[in-house]
Amino acid sequence: LTRYKYLYSPDQHFSGNLFFRIKETNTAARIDYSEVRTVALNGKGAQYSLYPNPSITGITIQFNNPAGGNYEVNLINAYGQLNFKKKYSLDQGGSIKIEWPEKPAAGIYFLMVKDLTHQTQQIERLKIL
């Protein structure tokens, strides 16, 4: 049995570095900690929104300030497994339309969009029916 607990959700306008590590307790009650990881937040809020959410066959990613660039889109299930990964290039366009090549199983997923041009990323929760 695996249980996960997330204890921190920063204010959406927070700007700066956050430092995280994972605490793991095994079945013998032994505790281990991961390496410390840093997450840099720019405090600008959401760079994109996605719709429809919940989704059935695909989604559209709508960028708030479309400036073009190169993006990588990852769909990750609740177990941390990668279900979809694809790179896109935008020329001043404001959206990316994604149709799943194979419909993911119904459930909760996380959509991670990496801006490869500016080295930023955003993760949004997505429900697939």
Side-chain angles (χ1 to χ4, degrees):
L1 174 69
T2 303
R3 292 184 306 182
Y4 299 96
K5 187 184 233 184
Y6 302 97
L7 300 175
Y8 186 75
S9 180
D11 179 81
Q12 75 180 62
H13 298 292
F14 174 82
S15 184
N17 292 329
L18 296 175
F19 299 90
F20 290 94
R21 66 180 178 170
I22 297 172
K23 177 181 177 182
E24 178 183 11
T25 306
N26 67 16
T27 55
R30 180 173 172 227
I31 297 173
D32 287 316
Y33 292 93
S34 71
E35 294 180 28
V36 173
R37 301 287 183 193
T38 304
V39 178
L41 300 178
N42 63 16
K44 295 179 183 175
Q47 302 301 307
Y48 72 86
S49 58
L50 57 99
Y51 62 89
N53 190 5
S55 168
I56 296 175
T57 60
I59 58 163
T60 298
I61 300 168
Q62 181 66 50
F63 291 89
N64 296 338
N65 297 310
N70 298 307
Y71 297 89
E72 180 179 282
V73 176
N74 298 293
L75 182 68
I76 302 163
N77 68 19
Y79 298 105
Q81 299 165 323
L82 185 65
N83 286 70
F84 174 83
K85 179 179 182 177
K86 189 170 180 181
K87 291 185 179 180
Y88 297 88
S89 182
L90 293 178
D91 297 325
Q92 302 296 325
S95 65
I96 297 173
K97 184 164 178 56
I98 300 173
E99 296 290 331
W100 311 125
E102 293 182 28
K103 184 184 177 306
I108 301 297
Y109 291 81
F110 298 93
L111 189 78
M112 178 174 24
V113 177
K114 294 180 182 180
D115 180 338
L116 302 173
T117 305
H118 300 100
Q119 300 300 311
T120 60
Q121 70 181 23
Q122 180 179 329
I123 299 173
E124 294 293 329
R125 187 173 176 266
L126 173 66
K127 183 175 183 178
I128 296 180
L129 302 176

